[in-house]
Amino acid sequence: MFRKGCLAILAVAAVALSGATPGAQARAATCAHAHAAAADASRADAAEATVCLINAVRRAHGLSTLSLNPRLSSAARGHSRDMVRRRYFAHNTPEGLSPAHRVRGTGYLAGHRRWLVGETLAWWSGAATPATIVTAWMHSPPHRHVLLEPSFRDVGIGLVLGTPRPSRRGGATYTADFGVKW
């Protein structure tokens, strides 16, 4: 997560995990398009399914749900697109721009002196689904920490087809940017 004046990355690249817990499968069943491969669903449907799944997890942990924010989605989409195009996978760009810099560039933080942002990343070769990605994030302690941060109120999902490393199986790259402003 990133705080003004203290940028410390607590999220790292997602680890692809197979299988889902019964609870995760039940949550996925209630979110439309949760099991649709990224290549088979619209970007909007996949983003809404991802937010629905994240919110189901947050509710199960007694946390408030997140609102899909267009500015955070713009930052997230731009980062996913950049990682695929330039073949890298990291929170910071090759030039060193952090998630906080990208989010600030959208105007999301304008006029706020206090804020908190966080980011999770994933890429999946083959049939990436929102359920697969959220399950992988929840099985990774640093990603789980970001998804379950009680302060967050907004999220943006950036999903692009393609992966940072060439794959004959296709795939998708996800960035989720989280935020709150005071």
Side-chain angles (χ1 to χ4, degrees):
M1 284 176 282
F2 308 90
R3 292 184 189 273
K4 185 175 182 179
C6 178
L7 301 179
I9 296 177
L10 296 179
V12 295
V15 176
L17 301 172
S18 61
T21 63
Q25 291 171 343
R27 285 187 295 274
T30 63
C31 296
H33 308 288
H35 295 290
D40 298 333
S42 74
R43 184 172 60 193
D45 287 344
E48 287 176 16
T50 305
V51 173
C52 177
L53 292 165
I54 291 170
N55 280 335
V57 167
R58 287 178 63 88
R59 276 192 303 276
H61 286 85
L63 299 172
S64 63
T65 59
L66 305 173
S67 297
L68 185 60
N69 182 280
R71 290 178 188 232
L72 290 175
S73 291
S74 176
R77 219 175 11 262
H79 190 55
S80 289
R81 188 178 307 118
D82 189 51
M83 288 189 295
V84 170
R85 184 177 56 83
R86 297 199 295 161
R87 306 266 183 232
Y88 71 94
F89 187 70
H91 292 284
N92 289 348
T93 67
E95 299 78 24
L97 293 178
S98 70
H101 286 98
R102 292 190 303 273
V103 168
R104 183 178 290 121
T106 68
Y108 176 78
L109 303 175
H112 296 276
R113 297 184 71 161
R114 294 183 55 224
W115 48 266
L116 176 68
V117 298
E119 180 173 86
T120 58
L121 304 175
W123 68 270
W124 200 276
S125 180
T129 70
T132 303
I133 298 303
V134 173
T135 297
W137 283 336
M138 288 302 293
H139 281 90
S140 164
H143 294 92
R144 181 184 178 91
H145 179 80
V146 174
L147 267 64
L148 298 179
E149 167 55 51
S151 300
F152 288 140
R153 296 292 174 257
D154 302 310
V155 65
I157 305 297
L159 162 67
V160 298
L161 296 181
T163 61
R165 303 211 172 55
S167 170
R168 291 187 177 140
R169 296 177 49 209
T173 300
Y174 280 74
T175 300
D177 284 334
F178 299 81
V180 64
K181 307 168 285 188
W182 295 280

